[in-house]
Amino acid sequence: MGRLWTFGQKLSAGFASMVVLVLIAAAGAIYALDHVAERNDRVIAVEARNLILAGELRVAAEWKASALRGYLLLRDDDNLGTFRTAREQVQDVLTRIRAQPLDADSARLLDDVERTESAHQGACEPLIVERQATGTAESTGRAFQERALPKMKELRQQIETFAKHQERQLEQGSRDAAAAAARAKTALIALVLLAVLVAVGLALALSRALGHQIGSAVQHVQSSSSELQTAANQQASGTREQSSAMSEITTTISELLATSRQIAESAQRVARIAEDTAKAARAGELTVGKSGEQIGAIKRQVDLIVAHMLDLGRKSQQIGGILEIVNELAEQTNILAINATIEAAGAGEAGRRFAVVADEIRKLADRVGGSTKEIRGLIEEIRAAVNTTVMTTEAGTKAVDTGTRQFLEVAVVFKQIVSSVGTTTDAAREIELSTKQQATAIEQVNIAIANVAQATRETEASAGQTLQTASQLTGLSKDLLRLVQPQADA
Amino acid sequence: MGESEITDRSADDAAVVDGVVAPLALIVVVGIRRCAIPVRFAAEILRPLPVQPLGGVPGYVRGLSVIRGSPVPVVDLNLLIGDDGNEHAAERLAVIDVGERRVALAVDAVLGLQRLDAHLVGRLPPLLHGVGSDVVEAIGVADARLLMVLRAACLVPDEVWSALTAGREAP
């Protein structure tokens, strides 16, 4: 259960135990002091006072005897009065002694004193009467020595005995008081030693318990301090990196701001250029329309050329057909001429002239055949050229058609360009406006980043202070651990 | 026999050129080659006619064509003198009479009659003996082109004529 007590409870319990011990010691001391004081008071109030009263009794008895002698010598009233006063004082002292607490011996001795004093008074009274009755001093002196002086001596001896007895009582009382004081001192010393032992035990137990508890807590604090120090180091490092990053971000934001302004200016220029482009596109649209009309005229001319070329091709084919007939005739003529030549050779000299004619006919036929071949080649070239021209023209027609379509598409595209340029103009203006807003936002971001950078620097400083505090806390925990667990320092 | 045809030429188809008798020959064209056939064997020149193929004859005999109402064997001159490996139009038929036999030579073209220069026509070189020497009698140069003088009588071997005769007489 002691483990569940708090540090304050344990200290309070220890202090409460010490207070109880102190109270016990104080009570013992008070009791001892009271006992010693009581003994001393008794010694002072009883034995010393009895001794003093014994002294006063001796003085009063001697005063009474002295006054009696004076009266017996002088027979004056002063001594008589003094005698009477001394007698009363002796009685008073006896009364006061009787009032004191007396032991049996003292009471017996005091009874003896009172009895002797009464006997002495009985012996004195006749002497006073005798002196008053004309007796002389000598006679009275003799009577005094015979009757009163022995009593006086006896009284003086008894008073002395009483005083000795009181003195012994005083000494006995003093010794008893000293013994009581010594016992009280011993008891107090024992109590103090006991209290010291208990206090040492409590201190050891408390020190051990608190040392264990505080040591464990201090070790936790030390471990936590180390972790805090590590965390502070990491925080400081992270904060420095963050600060560096913030600086880079600030630079980047500044560049971004400059870029945004450039973009805004570029967007403004783009808007102006887009307006010019829109004007040019509208002009281009008109030009394309005119070009489309011209292309339509070209297409019609090309179609006409194609028709003429096709007609030329047909005519060439007709020429080729006629030429085939001519060629056939030439070949047949050639064959007939050669056969005639052969026949002429077979006819001998009679056919020689015919052979010459036939050979000429063959040559003519050969020339006709060669010419027809050339014409056929030319016709073929014409047909090829016509075909090529037709194909080219058809390709041109297709190209014109394609061009027409493309011009139409170009016209559409120009319209789209005009529309797109308008859109571009609007977009460029929106970009300009947005970029200006962006620049404003970037400036605000820049300010925010500057604030964040300032906060980061403050955080860095705070991290440094935290690190310093963690280091101090680690040192303090080590010192504290060294204080509560010295062996832990080894 | 060919040599005798050139040397023993008749007065009808021979003439004297620079003191040398130059025979008259029909010049036909087969590919890049030119061939000369003595004119006394030439009958006529015709366009190509339909040819009926025959079996059991050499490859250069294309078949039979009806010429002037009679079947005449058609000989591919290109295959006869050695195939040059090229395509030939064979646009003319040169009909030749060898004795009682008539044969049609399928040629690319017929140039006409020409007298052979005897100085440019020599006998077949020894290295070419046995290589168509029974068909080619002599080799010469005409108009800077190779000219082969053919033996008309040997253009169609006798066994071919026998086969043709047997085929013609067969029911």
Side-chain angles (χ1 to χ4, degrees), chain A residues 356-424:
Chain A
V356 173
V357 174
D359 190 52
E360 289 297 327
I361 292 170
R362 184 188 60 81
K363 290 179 181 176
L364 287 173
D366 287 341
R367 289 176 62 184
V368 171
S371 297
T372 55
K373 287 181 181 177
E374 291 178 0
I375 292 169
R376 185 184 296 117
L378 292 173
I379 289 172
E380 289 298 325
E381 289 179 0
I382 289 169
R383 289 176 63 186
V386 167
N387 288 331
T388 304
T389 303
V390 169
M391 291 175 65
T392 306
T393 309
E394 287 178 351
T397 304
K398 292 180 180 177
V400 169
D401 291 338
T402 306
T404 304
R405 285 196 301 271
Q406 288 178 351
F407 260 95
L408 293 174
E409 293 175 357
V410 167
V412 174
V413 169
F414 263 109
K415 289 181 180 178
Q416 291 178 354
I417 286 172
V418 171
S419 175
S420 299
V421 166
T423 306
T424 302

Side-chain angles (χ1 to χ4, degrees), chain A residues 8 35 126 199 206 271 294 317 388 414 432:
Chain A
H35 184 66
L206 196 59
Q294 292 177 357
Q317 286 180 350
T388 304
F414 263 109
E432 180 185 356

Side-chain angles (χ1 to χ4, degrees), chain A residues 327-332 334-335 338-339 341-343 345-349 352 359 362 366, chain B residues 11-15 24 26 39 42-47 68 91-92 110-113 115:
Chain A
N327 187 45
E328 182 69 22
L329 292 175
E331 284 190 357
Q332 191 64 33
N334 177 270
I335 291 171
I338 291 174
N339 288 332
T341 304
I342 293 171
E343 290 298 331
E349 189 63 28
R352 189 173 303 276
D359 190 52
R362 184 188 60 81
D366 287 341
Chain B
D12 296 337
D13 54 357
L24 189 63
L26 179 65
V39 72
E44 61 177 334
I45 304 300
L46 297 174
R47 291 176 180 273
R68 307 299 177 188
E91 293 182 347
R92 292 291 184 269
V110 177
L111 296 180
L113 299 180
R115 290 193 181 276

Side-chain angles (χ1 to χ4, degrees), chain A residues 124-255:
Chain A
C124 289
E125 285 299 331
L127 291 173
I128 293 170
V129 173
E130 185 177 350
R131 184 58 180 163
Q132 287 177 347
T134 71
T136 62
E138 292 174 359
S139 61
T140 307
R142 281 187 303 271
F144 173 76
Q145 286 186 352
E146 291 175 356
R147 288 184 296 199
L149 190 60
K151 296 294 183 184
M152 187 62 199
K153 288 181 180 178
E154 186 181 2
L155 180 61
R156 187 178 291 126
Q157 188 178 359
Q158 287 180 349
I159 290 173
E160 192 64 28
T161 302
F162 179 77
K164 290 287 185 187
H165 179 73
Q166 293 305 317
E167 188 175 355
R168 284 194 298 274
Q169 287 292 111
L170 179 60
E171 289 176 357
Q172 183 63 36
S174 297
R175 282 195 297 272
D176 292 342
R183 285 195 300 275
K185 184 178 178 181
T186 303
L188 279 177
I189 288 170
L191 277 175
V192 169
L193 286 176
L194 179 62
V196 167
L197 287 176
V198 172
V200 168
L202 283 174
L204 286 176
L206 196 59
S207 174
R208 186 173 300 170
L210 294 179
H212 179 70
Q213 188 174 0
I214 293 173
S216 177
V218 166
Q219 284 178 351
H220 285 301
V221 169
Q222 190 174 3
S223 175
S224 299
S225 299
S226 298
E227 293 176 357
L228 182 61
Q229 192 173 1
T230 303
N233 271 325
Q234 291 177 353
Q235 186 181 3
S237 175
T239 308
R240 282 194 293 274
E241 292 177 357
Q242 189 177 1
S243 178
S244 176
M246 283 300 167
S247 299
E248 293 178 359
I249 289 172
T250 303
T251 305
T252 304
I253 289 293
S254 300
E255 294 175 355

Side-chain angles (χ1 to χ4, degrees), chain A residues 15 28 38 61 82 103 180 184 206 299 305 317-318 322 346 360 370 378 387 395 397 443:
Chain A
F15 278 111
E38 185 180 356
T82 301
D103 58 327
L206 196 59
K299 183 176 182 299
I305 290 171
Q317 286 180 350
Q318 292 175 2
I322 296 170
E360 289 297 327
L378 292 173
N387 288 331
T397 304
E443 288 177 353

Side-chain angles (χ1 to χ4, degrees), chain A residues 17-314:
Chain A
S17 302
M18 291 302 300
V19 167
V20 169
L21 287 174
V22 169
L23 288 175
I24 291 171
I30 291 169
Y31 175 75
L33 285 175
D34 286 343
H35 184 66
V36 171
E38 185 180 356
R39 285 303 181 102
N40 287 330
D41 290 343
R42 178 176 177 80
V43 168
I44 293 169
V46 177
E47 278 80 9
R49 184 169 180 78
N50 289 340
L51 185 59
I52 292 170
L53 290 174
E56 290 181 357
L57 184 60
R58 184 187 302 122
V59 170
E62 290 297 331
W63 188 27
K64 176 182 170 185
S66 175
L68 181 61
R69 281 190 192 99
Y71 180 72
L72 289 177
L73 288 174
L74 301 174
R75 203 183 58 180
D76 56 345
D77 291 336
D78 293 333
N79 285 320
L80 185 57
T82 301
F83 176 77
R84 299 295 180 195
T85 302
R87 170 70 174 125
E88 290 175 357
Q89 188 168 359
V90 169
Q91 291 295 325
D92 181 60
V93 170
L94 287 173
T95 302
R96 284 190 289 168
I97 289 172
R98 181 65 69 187
Q100 288 288 111
L102 298 172
D103 58 327
D105 291 338
S106 296
R108 182 179 52 77
L109 291 174
L110 186 62
D111 292 343
D112 290 345
V113 169
E114 283 181 348
R115 195 165 44 249
T116 304
E117 194 280 332
S118 296
H120 177 262
Q121 186 66 29
C124 289
E125 285 299 331
L127 291 173
I128 293 170
V129 173
E130 185 177 350
R131 184 58 180 163
Q132 287 177 347
T134 71
T136 62
E138 292 174 359
S139 61
T140 307
R142 281 187 303 271
F144 173 76
Q145 286 186 352
E146 291 175 356
R147 288 184 296 199
L149 190 60
K151 296 294 183 184
M152 187 62 199
K153 288 181 180 178
E154 186 181 2
L155 180 61
R156 187 178 291 126
Q157 188 178 359
Q158 287 180 349
I159 290 173
E160 192 64 28
T161 302
F162 179 77
K164 290 287 185 187
H165 179 73
Q166 293 305 317
E167 188 175 355
R168 284 194 298 274
Q169 287 292 111
L170 179 60
E171 289 176 357
Q172 183 63 36
S174 297
R175 282 195 297 272
D176 292 342
R183 285 195 300 275
K185 184 178 178 181
T186 303
L188 279 177
I189 288 170
L191 277 175
V192 169
L193 286 176
L194 179 62
V196 167
L197 287 176
V198 172
V200 168
L202 283 174
L204 286 176
L206 196 59
S207 174
R208 186 173 300 170
L210 294 179
H212 179 70
Q213 188 174 0
I214 293 173
S216 177
V218 166
Q219 284 178 351
H220 285 301
V221 169
Q222 190 174 3
S223 175
S224 299
S225 299
S226 298
E227 293 176 357
L228 182 61
Q229 192 173 1
T230 303
N233 271 325
Q234 291 177 353
Q235 186 181 3
S237 175
T239 308
R240 282 194 293 274
E241 292 177 357
Q242 189 177 1
S243 178
S244 176
M246 283 300 167
S247 299
E248 293 178 359
I249 289 172
T250 303
T251 305
T252 304
I253 289 293
S254 300
E255 294 175 355
L256 187 60
L257 181 60
T259 306
S260 297
R261 287 172 179 163
Q262 290 178 357
I263 290 172
E265 294 175 357
S266 299
Q268 201 170 1
R269 287 199 298 274
V270 167
R272 287 198 297 270
I273 293 170
E275 290 177 355
D276 296 339
T277 305
K279 294 177 182 175
R282 283 190 287 274
E285 189 180 359
L286 295 175
T287 304
V288 166
K290 293 178 181 177
S291 299
E293 295 175 357
Q294 292 177 357
I295 285 176
I298 291 171
K299 183 176 182 299
R300 288 190 293 274
Q301 293 295 327
V302 168
D303 290 339
L304 192 60
I305 290 171
V306 168
H308 288 313
M309 283 297 166
L310 292 175
D311 188 45
L312 182 59
R314 284 191 294 273

